[in-house]
């Protein structure tokens, strides 16, 4: 009898626990990725990065060495966040003098484009000089856990357009770490390493975390790898946080992101300080250690991606900004610009400035889920959309003596052009065994510059596709089923849809799209989330039936 009572009590307890778990399933799922990370990847305290050192003396005069290549990429930085490209945040006390200095001493690309409106696809394009859908990288790697909670997190009766989730595909999704750029691609690091460069990656990768896809197997001699996404622990006295309760992505990030990096795929450890500054400190160390040999440094900042976290020092310096969220964001922009300034100063201090090609850009435009309406001004659209606000980005470069100072380059350029341009600067030739979509920009930028031939640029996200040629731009959407046709020559902010008035141009650009995509392979992994994005409003603004929208396919 006593045994039966114990069994019955145990059964009742199990049922009660199951009921509690079910009632709190959203909470458990929301936090599951963070708990899994803590168990699988415990973090050590900070330790010095054992960077490799180059020769103590130069083996040849600096003028006879190929140029150093430095690419600094911000994350989700809007074109209007940089004063060179617009109003920026100068009036709020957060100008970008260091980024502006690159444009002043080199070239500002007035039509600088990211090759995608989202990070992974854009970064794969930069690394390969190719449209990533040529090798199956079409969608954004997304944790299956996000799909399991996204529908409930996104549930809001005020939103007119539902999030669409394929739960079967989400359940069958590969691990987040297994999704990325295949090792069969030839990266910028690989082609430069073949030219004798020491190659270093610092920061975000987001192109896969398996040993085959990590930077060390993609041409980088060294990698300081951002393993998660906090700038500092949330309760650290050196940080100021801004949480956007209206944003489902933000609500997912805060409980699941951690403060950790690794060196050359080793054990996780905590950075020494605020993440943007820490990556910059280490970039300075790399430049100093490699001053006597050619090097390629890819400094891929997490700033200014959410979660919004500013260093307290930067936040305190902007006391004139009344709105807390905008102040945190402006402080983050300030830290990225300071990073650029410190890299430039280190190159000067080491006598390397004249023999370094340095590029600054962003992986895509700023998102609407920040709740900040002016980040991509004056352009329409956001990250995840193929309107100008999603794909037109800050894009500046300098190489003293080779790129004329103060150049305003008005032809469209893309992140796919960085590999051909950097490789040409290094004296190399493009791989001959595969199509390279980018072009070498150097002939168009020097004292004896020639005119760049016209070409089409393409964007692809499942059935959501875009082409731009000679200033005409066509966006084709499946959800909603709609075409947008713009003449950017007269309407650069995409206000007047000419799809019905220009049937011949519409047909011509549709044919271009069809021809480009006809031979492309299937994606390496399926999408399982389709998310609506209002083209002209931030996520916290009230929706109306008249608002134009599109769907991002993850």
């Amino acid at each position: 009898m006593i045994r039966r009572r114990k069994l019955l009590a145990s059964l009742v307890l199990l049922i009660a626990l199951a009921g509690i778990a079910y009632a709190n399933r959203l909470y458990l799922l929301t936090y599951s990725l963070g708990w899994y990370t803590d168990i699988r990847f415990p973090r050590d305290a900070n330790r010095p990065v054992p960077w490799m050192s180059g020769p103590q003396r130069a083996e040849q005069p600096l003028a006879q060495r190929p140029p150093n290549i430095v690419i600094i990429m911000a994350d989700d930085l809007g074109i209007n966040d940089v004063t060179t490209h617009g109003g920026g945040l100068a009036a709020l006390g957060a100008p970008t003098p260091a980024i502006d200095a690159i444009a002043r001493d080199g070239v500002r690309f007035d039509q600088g484009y990211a090759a995608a409106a989202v990070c992974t696809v854009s970064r794969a394009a930069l690394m390969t000089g190719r449209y990533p859908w040529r090798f199956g990288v079409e969608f954004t790697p997304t944790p299956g856990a996000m799909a399991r909670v996204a529908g409930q997190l996104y549930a809001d009766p005020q939103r007119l357009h539902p999030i669409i989730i394929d739960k079967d595909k989400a359940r069958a999704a590969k691990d987040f770490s297994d999704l990325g750029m295949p090792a069969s691609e030839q990266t910028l690091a690989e082609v430069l390493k073949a030219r004798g460069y020491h190659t270093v990656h610092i920061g975000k990768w987001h192109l896969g975390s398996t040993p085959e896809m990590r930077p060390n197997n993609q041409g980088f001699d060294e990698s300081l790898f951002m393993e998660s996404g906090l700038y500092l622990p949330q309760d650290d006295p050196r940080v100021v946080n801004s949480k956007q309760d209206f944003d489902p992505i933000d609500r997912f990030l805060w409980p699941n992101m951690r403060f950790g990096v690794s060196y050359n795929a080793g054990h996780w450890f905590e950075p020494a300080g605020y993440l943007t500054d820490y990556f910059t400190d280490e970039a300075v160390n790399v430049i100093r250690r490699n001053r006597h040999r050619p090097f390629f440094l890819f400094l891929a900042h997490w700033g200014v991606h959410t979660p919004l976290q500013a260093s307290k020092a930067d936040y305190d310096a902007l006391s004139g900004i009344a709105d807390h969220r905008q102040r945190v964001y402006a402080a983050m922009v300030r830290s990225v610009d300071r990073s650029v300034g410190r890299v430039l100063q280190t190159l000067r201090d080491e006598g390397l400035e004249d023999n370094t090609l340095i590029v600054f850009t962003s992986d895509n435009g700023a998102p609407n889920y920040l709740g900040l309406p002016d980040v991509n001004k004056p352009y329409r659209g956001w990250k995840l959309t193929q309107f100008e606000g999603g794909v037109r980005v800050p894009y500046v470069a300098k190489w003293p003596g080779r790129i004329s100072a103060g150049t305003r380059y008005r032809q469209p350029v893309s992140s796919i052009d960085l590999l051909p341009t950097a490789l040409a600067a290094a004296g190399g030739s493009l791989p001959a065994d595969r199509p390279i979509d980018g072009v070498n920009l150097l002939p168009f930028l020097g004292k004896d510059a020639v005119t760049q031939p016209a070409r089409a640029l393409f964007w692809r996200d499942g059935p959501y596709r875009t082409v731009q040629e000679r200033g005409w731009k066509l966006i084709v959407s499946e959800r909603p089923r709609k075409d947008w046709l713009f003449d950017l020559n007269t309407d650069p902010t995409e206000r007047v849809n000419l799809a019905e008035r220009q049937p011949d141009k519409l047909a011509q650009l549709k044919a271009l799209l069809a021809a480009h995509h006809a031979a492309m392979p299937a994606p390496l992994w399926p999408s399982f989330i389709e998310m609506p994005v209002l083209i002209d409003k931030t996520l916290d603004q009230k929706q109306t039936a008249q608002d134009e929208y599109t769907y991002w396919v993850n």
Side-chain angles (χ1 to χ4, degrees):
M1 180 65 71
I2 294 175
R3 185 178 179 185
R4 288 182 63 188
R5 287 178 179 173
K6 285 183 177 179
L7 287 174
L8 182 60
S10 297
L11 181 60
V12 170
L13 178 61
L14 286 173
I15 292 172
L17 289 173
I20 292 170
Y22 182 78
N24 293 278
R25 63 192 182 281
L26 181 59
Y27 175 86
L28 294 172
L29 286 171
T30 300
Y31 282 79
S32 62
L33 182 61
W35 293 334
Y36 171 78
T37 300
D38 290 335
I39 294 169
R40 185 176 177 186
F41 303 108
R43 296 172 298 286
D44 294 336
N46 176 257
R47 57 175 180 264
V49 179
W51 296 112
M52 302 174 191
S53 293
Q56 294 301 304
R57 292 182 178 82
E59 297 176 356
Q60 59 185 146
L62 186 65
Q64 296 178 17
R65 276 168 33 192
N68 307 305
I69 311 291
V70 176
I71 296 176
I72 304 176
M73 174 172 272
D75 198 316
D76 288 1
L77 189 72
I79 196 166
N80 196 44
D81 293 330
V82 175
T83 45
T84 287
H85 285 284
L89 301 170
L92 301 178
T96 54
I99 299 168
D100 301 343
I102 298 178
R104 183 194 64 223
D105 298 336
V107 58
R108 159 184 160 176
F109 295 102
D110 286 349
Q111 289 193 73
Y113 287 101
V118 69
C119 48
T120 291
V121 189
S122 178
R123 291 161 191 270
L126 183 152
M127 277 289 114
T128 63
R130 284 154 53 84
Y131 290 119
W133 41 92
R134 286 195 184 277
F135 46 90
V137 176
E138 184 170 343
F139 303 125
T140 303
T142 303
M146 180 178 281
R148 292 194 290 274
V149 300
Q152 289 170 285
L153 285 173
Y154 201 85
D156 185 338
Q158 302 299 316
R159 293 190 178 129
L160 302 181
H161 313 292
I163 187 170
I164 299 167
I165 300 172
D166 189 320
K167 294 184 178 179
D168 291 336
K169 287 182 179 178
R171 279 191 290 268
K174 292 182 180 179
D175 187 83
F176 178 74
S177 299
D178 295 333
L179 306 177
M181 182 173 63
S184 56
E185 286 303 302
Q186 291 192 40
T187 69
L188 178 54
E190 286 173 309
V191 296
L192 289 177
K193 187 173 180 178
R195 300 289 304 166
Y197 279 71
H198 184 70
T199 54
V200 180
H201 158 261
I202 295 176
K204 181 174 177 176
W205 182 242
H206 213 183
L207 293 171
S209 295
T210 64
E212 293 77 19
M213 290 187 287
R214 278 181 174 256
N216 295 110
N217 196 52
Q218 301 272 26
F220 285 98
D221 296 304
E222 302 182 87
S223 172
L224 181 60
F225 191 100
M226 188 188 82
E227 293 286 3
S228 193
L230 288 181
Y231 295 84
L232 276 169
Q234 296 181 48
D235 57 355
D236 192 295
R238 297 168 294 174
V239 75
V240 179
N241 305 312
S242 175
K243 297 184 179 182
Q244 281 62 255
D245 291 338
F246 57 83
D247 174 25
I249 295 174
D250 201 62
R251 298 208 303 273
F252 183 82
L253 291 179
W254 284 103
N256 290 299
M257 295 294 98
R258 296 297 185 262
F259 186 53
V261 295
S262 67
Y263 172 72
N264 284 355
H267 201 274
W268 289 29
F269 60 94
E270 292 195 345
Y274 182 70
L275 196 64
T276 304
D277 292 331
Y278 171 71
F279 285 154
T280 308
D281 291 341
E282 297 305 330
V284 167
N285 290 336
V286 165
I287 293 170
R288 289 173 175 164
R289 285 176 177 264
N290 292 282
R291 63 189 180 277
H292 292 313
R293 63 178 171 183
F295 62 84
F296 166 46
L297 171 61
F298 180 39
L299 175 53
H301 278 300
W302 182 227
V304 290
H305 196 290
T306 53
L308 295 188
Q309 293 185 289
S311 74
K312 189 174 185 305
D314 284 320
Y315 185 84
D316 289 347
L318 299 177
S319 58
I321 302 177
D323 181 79
H324 174 70
R325 187 191 316 150
Q326 184 150 46
R327 185 174 171 184
V328 170
Y329 185 76
M332 295 173 74
V333 173
R334 189 175 192 260
S335 71
V336 170
D337 186 73
R338 180 173 60 251
S339 173
V340 174
R342 291 185 60 203
V343 169
L344 291 172
Q345 186 61 52
T346 304
L347 293 170
R348 282 192 289 270
D349 292 344
E350 300 299 329
L352 301 174
E353 180 180 22
D354 289 347
N355 199 43
T356 299
L357 169 62
I358 184 165
V359 180
F360 177 85
T361 190
S362 178
D363 60 347
N364 44 251
N368 78 334
Y369 51 75
L370 295 173
L372 298 172
D374 294 335
V375 282
N376 298 322
K377 189 178 179 180
Y379 302 108
R380 299 178 71 195
W382 316 91
K383 173 186 178 179
L384 311 182
T385 81
Q386 293 167 13
F387 283 73
E388 294 289 280
V391 293
R392 193 181 284 211
V393 293
Y395 202 142
V396 294
K398 79 166 192 170
W399 182 11
R402 295 299 301 270
I403 297 176
S404 299
T407 299
R408 290 279 301 275
Y409 194 75
R410 292 177 169 83
Q411 299 299 313
V413 301
S414 168
S415 46
I416 58 175
D417 299 328
L418 286 178
L419 182 146
T421 302
L423 185 55
S429 300
L430 292 174
D433 63 339
R434 63 197 67 200
I436 301 295
D437 296 297
V439 300
N440 170 22
L441 299 175
L442 292 177
F444 318 129
L445 302 176
K447 295 178 181 177
D448 301 318
V450 297
T451 302
Q452 179 183 349
R455 59 169 169 166
L457 293 175
F458 297 91
W459 291 265
R460 169 169 165 151
D461 179 23
Y464 182 37
R465 300 176 183 181
T466 297
V467 60
Q468 193 222 71
E469 186 195 39
R470 297 180 186 273
W472 284 90
K473 180 176 175 184
L474 172 64
I475 304 172
V476 175
S477 170
E478 184 69 24
R479 197 189 307 275
R481 189 178 294 275
K482 185 171 182 177
D483 300 326
W484 287 274
L485 177 66
F486 302 109
D487 180 2
L488 300 182
N489 301 295
T490 59
D491 180 25
T493 57
E494 300 174 313
R495 301 293 170 182
V496 182
N497 185 0
L498 300 173
E500 294 184 358
R501 287 184 257 172
Q502 296 280 353
D504 292 343
K505 179 59 69 173
L506 179 68
Q508 176 204 342
L509 293 180
K510 282 200 168 187
L512 265 181
L513 271 180
H516 173 77
H517 294 290
M520 297 301 169
L524 290 175
W525 61 87
S527 69
F528 51 78
I529 297 177
E530 293 183 58
M531 183 178 294
V533 184
L534 294 183
I535 295 164
D536 298 306
K537 287 184 176 178
T538 55
L539 188 61
D540 57 333
Q541 292 177 310
K542 184 178 180 179
Q543 300 182 11
T544 71
Q546 289 72 43
D547 291 329
E548 288 194 280
Y549 68 97
T550 187
Y551 267 77
W552 167 65
V553 183
N554 88 293

